[in-house]
Amino acid sequence: MATQIRIHETGGPEVMKVETVDIGAPGPGEVRLRQSHCGVNFIDTYHRTGLYPVPLPSGIGLEGLGVVEARGDGVTEFEEGDRVFYATGPIGGYADKRLIPSEKLVRVPENLSDDQIGGHMLRALTAQYLLRRLYKVQPGEQVLFHAGAGGLGQIAIQWLKHIGAEVITTVGSDEKAEVAKKLGADHVINYSTEDFVARVKEITNGVGVPVVYDGVGKTTWEGSLDCLKGRGMMVSFGNASGSVESFSPGILSTKGSLFLTRPTLMGYCGTRPELIESATDVFEVIGTGAVTIEKATVYPLKDAVQAHKDLEGRKIVGSTVLMP
């Protein structure tokens, strides 16, 4: 039997319910995972609200860390007792135990702790593909990365500084500004009190930046476009403030022949070789200390509703994890 958080309808945090489920034995190609950390990410709220539709009823959560408890037929890459993580689903990560295809799992190196990996890998893998594959940031480039105090932003700031970039970031409060500064951001803009477009233009001497990473969405969309230099890349990868409203593609031409992409982690780690390559890169920057992972904010598994309320209320700095 497993304890899982499930939804039978879409809506607010209260639609998540604690249920006891008989998950049975792993089938061919599957393992049964006993989880110690269940990652909580903004994409989970999109599944819960129906912004990203999923078949109902459904589990929730795409990320977990745990120990292989049993293997199904055909599983040769993992042994019982192996410590593994996953961060690209399938959905159903808010659970003390679950069945999952072994191809989605990655073995955790011995030199990295549960606290360094648990609840952080979806964000770390996202940072990897954004900064090293989608747009390969070069030393000396000026880059705008929104929401620098969030779990992803904290990783991205450090990784960008490791690359040698000049980091411009935005935050929503003075408290979060201090977090971003301590991580090494060169320019921190509190967009609740400052015009971030004007500040970016000032920092770049009116030129703009070659790339903007925007996971905020609706409230920063148009301003982000205005921060780009000619033929710059707008990377719109999230909707923390709501979905971007419909627009005419012509806006990209009038603002400087801009490029626009709406990527997903699954689109960049959809094959096993891509997943392993990205995870290996993440393990290296964490293992060498180039990126320091702060302990996540922890909630008991049964308190998933409160975790979502706090996440959507912008009360959490850094990553969030549920622990069974």
Side-chain angles (χ1 to χ4, degrees):
M1 304 300 289
T3 300
Q4 300 181 345
I5 305 296
R6 295 178 61 79
I7 58 173
H8 293 260
E9 60 182 330
T10 57
E14 67 280 354
V15 302
M16 296 187 293
K17 306 297 182 183
V18 180
E19 298 183 4
T20 301
V21 180
D22 185 358
I23 60 173
E30 290 185 329
V31 307
R32 186 170 67 236
L33 192 62
R34 184 176 71 253
Q35 301 197 136
S36 59
H37 296 66
C38 312
V40 178
N41 298 282
F42 244 102
I43 192 172
D44 304 342
T45 70
Y46 306 156
H47 291 145
R48 190 202 75 225
T49 61
L51 179 63
Y52 293 176
V54 297
L56 298 175
S58 175
I60 192 165
L62 295 174
E63 175 180 14
L65 170 74
V67 174
V68 174
E69 193 173 69
R71 300 182 298 166
D73 291 342
V75 176
T76 59
E77 188 173 351
F78 302 102
E79 302 285 345
E80 293 177 10
D82 281 350
R83 191 169 54 122
V84 296
F85 85 88
Y86 62 92
T88 59
I91 197 167
Y94 294 6
D96 61 352
K97 294 183 181 182
R98 71 170 303 186
L99 302 179
I100 188 167
S102 64
E103 65 182 9
K104 293 291 188 178
L105 302 175
V106 179
R107 185 178 287 104
V108 178
E110 292 183 2
N111 66 311
L112 299 179
S113 70
D114 286 358
D115 285 343
Q116 288 176 298
I117 300 300
H120 301 287
M121 289 304 292
L122 188 148
R123 293 173 174 88
L125 291 173
T126 299
Q128 195 279 335
Y129 91 77
L130 289 175
L131 309 181
R132 306 314 295 147
R133 291 195 285 143
L134 186 155
Y135 180 98
K136 194 166 185 178
V137 177
Q138 300 299 313
E141 281 190 308
Q142 294 175 307
V143 172
L144 173 59
F145 201 107
H146 284 295
L152 172 57
Q154 291 188 28
I155 294 170
I157 288 172
Q158 295 178 79
W159 207 325
L160 285 165
K161 293 307 299 178
H162 176 59
I163 293 167
E166 182 177 339
V167 182
I168 307 169
T169 193
T170 61
V171 295
S173 69
D174 290 339
E175 176 191 8
K176 291 180 177 180
E178 289 303 313
V179 172
K181 290 175 184 176
K182 288 179 181 178
L183 291 168
D186 298 282
H187 310 278
V188 182
I189 304 166
N190 183 344
Y191 53 41
S192 66
T193 59
E194 300 178 84
D195 181 336
F196 76 85
V197 177
R199 285 282 291 119
V200 169
K201 289 296 180 68
E202 178 185 354
I203 292 164
T204 62
N205 296 316
V207 175
V209 295
V211 61
V212 174
Y213 295 104
D214 190 337
V216 178
K218 183 176 181 179
T219 61
T220 52
W221 160 254
E222 199 153 347
S224 291
L225 294 179
D226 290 335
C227 289
L228 286 164
K229 67 195 306 183
R231 291 178 292 183
M233 173 71 78
M234 172 65 172
V235 184
S236 177
F237 66 91
N239 317 285
S241 68
S243 298
V244 174
E245 296 178 354
S246 298
F247 67 95
S248 168
I251 194 173
L252 302 175
S253 64
T254 60
K255 290 182 179 293
S257 298
L258 304 179
F259 293 87
L260 167 66
T261 182
R262 181 59 175 88
T264 66
L265 175 60
M266 290 66 174
Y268 278 80
C269 287
T271 68
R272 185 146 186 84
E274 289 173 332
L275 175 60
I276 297 300
E277 177 186 356
S278 292
T280 300
D281 202 7
V282 169
F283 292 154
E284 180 179 354
V285 294
I286 296 176
T288 60
V291 172
T292 300
I293 300 294
E294 296 293 332
K295 185 175 174 59
T297 299
V298 176
Y299 295 80
L301 178 62
K302 63 181 179 62
D303 290 343
V305 169
Q306 188 61 51
H308 273 222
K309 288 180 178 178
D310 291 347
L311 182 67
E312 292 177 302
R314 307 294 178 89
K315 295 180 180 179
I316 299 172
V317 176
S319 297
T320 310
V321 68
L322 303 174
M323 299 188 75

